[in-house]
Amino acid sequence: MHALRISRSVTQSFVERRTMFVFFVALVGAAILATIIPGWLPLIVLVGAGVITALAFFPVAGMCLLAALMPMSGWVINFGVYNWSRHIPILNTIDAPAADFFALVLLISYSVRLLALWGIPGREERPRLAPHSAVFWLFLFVQLLSVVFATREDALGIGVKYVLRPMLFMYLMWVLLPFTIVRTREALDRVLRWMYGVGVGGAVMGMISLILGAAQGGWTRVTPFALAGWTPFGTNHNLLAEVLVVILPIGAYLLHQEDRPHVRRWLFVGNALILVATLLTFARSAWIVLFVECLLALWLMRDSIGRLPVVRFRRQMVGLALALLLPILVYMIAISTSSLVAGSNDTRIDLARISWEYFRDRPLLGQGPGTFLSIVADTHVYVIEYGDPLDAHGMLQKIIAESGLLGLITWVLMLTIFMLYGWRGVMRARSLPEYPLVVALFVAASGAIVYQIFNTSYYSGKMWLPIGLLLVGAHVVVWKYRESKSFI
């Protein structure tokens, strides 16, 4: 036993020496940069090296932070606006959500961890490929074919960049990275709690917007707003709604699993806030997704729901729900029939027509990935009618125009296979304690996909992190199921 403790101590010391060596190299690099480049950049490099070193020791903590940053897509870092970076070529052209930058840092830190542990018996880690990853590479191959055979002049430059960012980026950061780092149910629960906490914060911000709107006579719906120029959830109600509908099933799972009465009360309040805020965004897509999620959850959890004491008062509960929802429903109908929403409908219809026309022009491989905005800009009638070009409001319209029939087939195939793997986890977990977990993840991922049938975040973490976490949960269940069968 004493020898084992000594061996572990030596191993830990060896790992620390390797990791600190990386930090030392970064420190030397920062010192060299300080003699060449004035300003804040050397300090930023040094701080970045420290963050990478810390995350190499605590990758799950990094994943928790990434899950917390993901809903805040409105928090964009633009190096073109900072004094220290605006005059640095290439760097001053880079801007992206803070979550994307942190995902890149986390990927680098985990690579450092793999190198630090490489060759150490009993401590060595290996990156894990997400299940059925071949279907993603097939999708990416079709995108590259679309770039090669596109006839538009701008297709090559736009297409290559678009394949790398956001397509390859979305898989590496939002599917492969979570699947590699999060390996246990305990780690997955921690990630979900952080994600849920940010969701509650977004709901609170949305509810405050109603109070401020009533005082100023402006806002008529839950809408995120700026805090001293900082817009973590953006400034559009859809950006908040597409986050809340994904986090609500996670909140329901956390409430279901919690045994402490005082924590359950707070979770109930948080879930109620998220639900009410989602409804009061009056986002039609969010209402559709809520309906789909409720049907899925009620069906998959029908046995558990039937045993709840509240079921005895189901008539009273239905009556109360109708009484509360009726005014909201009437207001939703009023908004949906307003001239503002009618204009939005016209925009969506015309974008779908443009997509269909360009699909018919090149039905097999489309116009090239990432070209939809330039396609719309070339449609002068649209620009005259609506102004600046908009991206496709729906992943299906975008893909058939940009990647054609082959792109659409591989995209749908990829989503179907990933969700079938998640469904396999749901079926295997029926007799396991993890059943509510995988049900919540399956419902959340389903909601994220349904929302992007009507929206524009189909290549972001808002859609793909729920899918990545579903794959993690299903993988945990599938392996546990195999172990229980082999034990029996």
Side-chain angles (χ1 to χ4, degrees):
M1 182 63 72
H2 182 66
L4 181 60
R5 283 198 297 268
I6 293 175
S7 175
R8 286 179 178 174
S9 176
V10 171
T11 299
Q12 183 68 22
S13 175
F14 184 51
V15 173
E16 290 176 357
R17 285 201 303 271
R18 281 193 183 184
T19 310
M20 294 307 297
F21 174 74
V22 174
F23 180 75
F24 176 75
V25 170
L27 180 63
V28 172
I32 294 172
L33 283 175
T35 63
I36 301 173
I37 303 174
W40 289 94
L41 186 60
L43 179 61
I44 290 172
V45 171
L46 181 61
V47 172
V51 171
I52 288 171
T53 304
L55 293 176
F57 282 104
F58 306 103
V60 175
M63 195 64 233
C64 291
L65 289 173
L66 181 59
L69 288 172
M70 181 278 293
M72 296 188 282
S73 60
W75 183 8
V76 175
I77 297 176
N78 184 356
F79 288 104
V81 302
Y82 302 117
N83 291 330
W84 62 269
S85 60
R86 66 175 54 177
H87 302 298
I88 301 176
I90 300 178
L91 185 63
N92 58 12
T93 64
I94 297 175
D95 66 279
D100 289 7
F101 284 110
F102 187 78
L104 188 59
V105 170
L106 186 57
L107 179 65
I108 294 171
S109 72
Y110 196 73
S111 301
V112 170
R113 177 182 178 85
L114 294 179
L115 290 174
L117 296 175
W118 179 71
I120 302 176
R123 294 295 304 275
E124 189 173 13
E125 288 188 18
R126 295 181 181 180
R128 301 193 306 177
L129 287 178
H132 308 296
S133 59
V135 70
F136 167 76
W137 300 113
L138 176 62
F139 167 74
L140 206 66
F141 176 71
V142 170
Q143 300 303 310
L144 291 173
L145 285 180
S146 179
V147 172
V148 170
F149 291 101
T151 57
R152 295 180 60 86
E153 294 181 0
D154 58 352
L156 181 60
I158 294 176
V160 171
K161 180 181 177 181
Y162 208 77
V163 167
L164 296 176
R165 171 85 166 101
M167 290 180 177
L168 180 61
F169 188 92
M170 81 179 182
Y171 180 75
L172 292 179
M173 303 304 175
W174 303 113
V175 177
L176 192 62
L177 193 59
F179 194 81
T180 298
I181 293 177
V182 184
R183 300 183 179 228
T184 64
R185 178 183 174 177
E186 291 72 22
L188 183 55
D189 279 350
R190 286 174 58 192
V191 171
L192 296 179
R193 290 191 195 101
W194 279 72
M195 192 170 165
Y196 173 75
V198 174
V200 172
V204 171
M205 174 181 278
M207 298 305 291
I208 292 173
S209 75
L210 286 180
I211 300 172
L212 297 177
Q216 299 176 6
W219 286 315
T220 57
R221 56 172 38 157
V222 162
T223 307
F225 53 90
L227 297 169
W230 180 51
T231 56
F233 298 97
T235 56
N236 184 278
H237 63 284
N238 270 306
L239 296 177
L240 181 59
E242 66 183 353
V243 168
L244 296 182
V245 294
V246 170
I247 293 178
L248 186 59
I250 294 171
Y253 158 70
L254 294 176
L255 178 61
H256 182 275
Q257 294 299 108
E258 184 57 58
D259 294 326
R260 294 166 292 180
H262 65 286
V263 178
R264 285 181 61 86
R265 284 193 290 269
W266 282 111
L267 286 171
F268 180 83
V269 171
N271 290 346
L273 275 173
I274 292 175
L275 176 60
V276 173
T278 304
L279 291 172
L280 293 181
T281 61
F282 295 107
R284 292 167 293 174
S285 303
W287 281 49
I288 293 171
V289 171
L290 280 178
F291 181 72
V292 172
E293 288 182 339
C294 285
L295 288 181
L296 263 177
L298 289 173
W299 181 53
L300 291 173
M301 296 295 293
R302 57 191 181 275
D303 294 336
S304 299
I305 293 173
R307 293 193 296 267
L308 293 176
V310 75
V311 173
R312 293 180 295 175
F313 306 100
R314 55 183 177 274
R315 291 183 180 179
Q316 293 87 338
M317 295 296 294
V318 170
L320 179 62
L322 289 176
L324 294 174
L325 286 175
L326 189 58
I328 299 176
L329 182 59
V330 170
Y331 193 66
M332 177 66 166
I333 294 172
I335 289 181
S336 299
T337 55
S338 66
S339 58
L340 180 64
V341 175
S344 175
N345 291 339
D346 292 340
T347 304
R348 289 172 179 264
I349 291 171
D350 286 340
L351 286 172
R353 287 173 177 168
I354 292 171
S355 174
W356 177 250
E357 289 301 320
Y358 278 88
F359 165 69
R360 290 176 61 188
D361 179 56
R362 293 183 60 81
L364 193 61
L365 287 169
Q367 306 292 328
T371 57
F372 193 86
L373 281 176
S374 61
I375 287 172
V376 177
D378 290 344
T379 309
H380 300 295
V381 174
Y382 179 91
V383 176
I384 293 171
E385 181 70 23
Y386 300 107
D388 294 336
L390 298 174
D391 209 351
H393 280 266
M395 55 186 175
L396 302 181
Q397 301 95 297
K398 183 181 180 71
I399 290 173
I400 62 169
E402 293 185 350
S403 309
L405 190 59
L406 287 181
L408 180 63
I409 290 172
T410 51
W411 175 263
V412 173
L413 180 65
M414 176 173 60
L415 291 179
T416 301
I417 289 178
F418 286 162
M419 293 305 291
L420 283 176
Y421 186 84
W423 179 254
R424 182 188 178 195
V426 171
M427 293 296 100
R428 292 284 177 91
R430 280 190 174 276
S431 58
L432 299 176
E434 287 80 6
Y435 185 66
L437 169 62
V438 288
V439 167
L441 293 173
F442 186 83
V443 171
S446 300
I449 292 172
V450 172
Y451 205 107
Q452 299 315 319
I453 295 176
F454 312 101
N455 216 45
T456 60
S457 301
Y458 19 74
Y459 293 133
S460 75
K462 289 183 178 180
M463 174 172 159
W464 283 96
L465 181 59
I467 294 174
L469 295 179
L470 171 62
L471 296 179
V472 172
H475 187 76
V476 169
V477 165
V478 167
W479 279 101
K480 185 170 182 178
Y481 178 84
R482 288 177 180 173
E483 290 172 0
S484 65
K485 289 295 181 182
S486 62
F487 177 77
I488 293 171

